[in-house]
Amino acid sequence: MTPRMENALALADKCWKKAAETEPAFVEEYIRLAEDLLTKKPIVLGDEFRNHCANNRLFRPKTLHPNVWVSGVKALKTLGWIHPIGKVEPTQSHNHMPSVTQWHSMIYGTDTGS
């Protein structure tokens, strides 16, 4: 891993920590919505998490950096809820990246009871 990539991952952790400290309701709802998406779809693109949140009226608080969306996906990977498959072209119009990660849901098909 390059130093640039390591710095980006460290920044993602810092961003998610700030979100958890300053906007815990946002973090809790993000996790709930991510779980909802991951129990319904076996394969999810990285940019689908943000879109799923928007469709469920969860938007990034102005107090948080836009990278909180990437930080949230990293948190889901840390939780073991997703596993990377590869890179694909983004499907969401808000995405400015040339590719996004395609994720395999590790909780697809499970009933969470929530």
Side-chain angles (χ1 to χ4, degrees):
M1 188 177 306
T2 68
R4 183 177 176 182
M5 290 171 66
E6 288 173 4
N7 288 339
L9 291 175
L11 182 58
D13 288 338
K14 186 177 178 182
C15 189
W16 193 247
K17 181 179 181 203
K18 178 184 178 188
E21 290 171 353
T22 62
E23 301 287 351
F26 169 82
V27 170
E28 188 64 38
E29 185 64 2
Y30 175 88
I31 291 170
R32 186 189 72 75
L33 290 170
E35 182 179 37
D36 173 63
L37 180 62
L38 292 168
T39 58
K40 295 176 180 170
K41 290 186 73 177
I43 306 296
V44 178
L45 301 186
D47 56 356
E48 285 185 83
F49 293 103
R50 178 179 174 181
N51 194 53
H52 186 66
C53 288
N55 288 340
N56 287 278
R57 305 180 65 70
L58 179 67
F59 302 98
R60 176 186 57 85
K62 294 190 184 315
T63 57
L64 298 179
H65 191 278
N67 284 349
V68 74
W69 297 114
V70 175
S71 302
V73 175
K74 185 175 186 296
L76 299 175
K77 182 177 183 242
T78 300
L79 285 169
W81 288 10
I82 54 178
H83 180 76
I85 297 171
K87 295 285 189 179
V88 296
E89 189 173 320
T91 60
Q92 306 302 315
S93 61
H94 69 263
N95 201 313
H96 61 279
M97 301 300 290
S99 66
V100 295
T101 302
Q102 189 175 38
W103 298 97
H104 176 256
S105 170
M106 303 307 285
I107 60 175
Y108 171 71
T110 61
D111 183 1
T112 61
S114 51

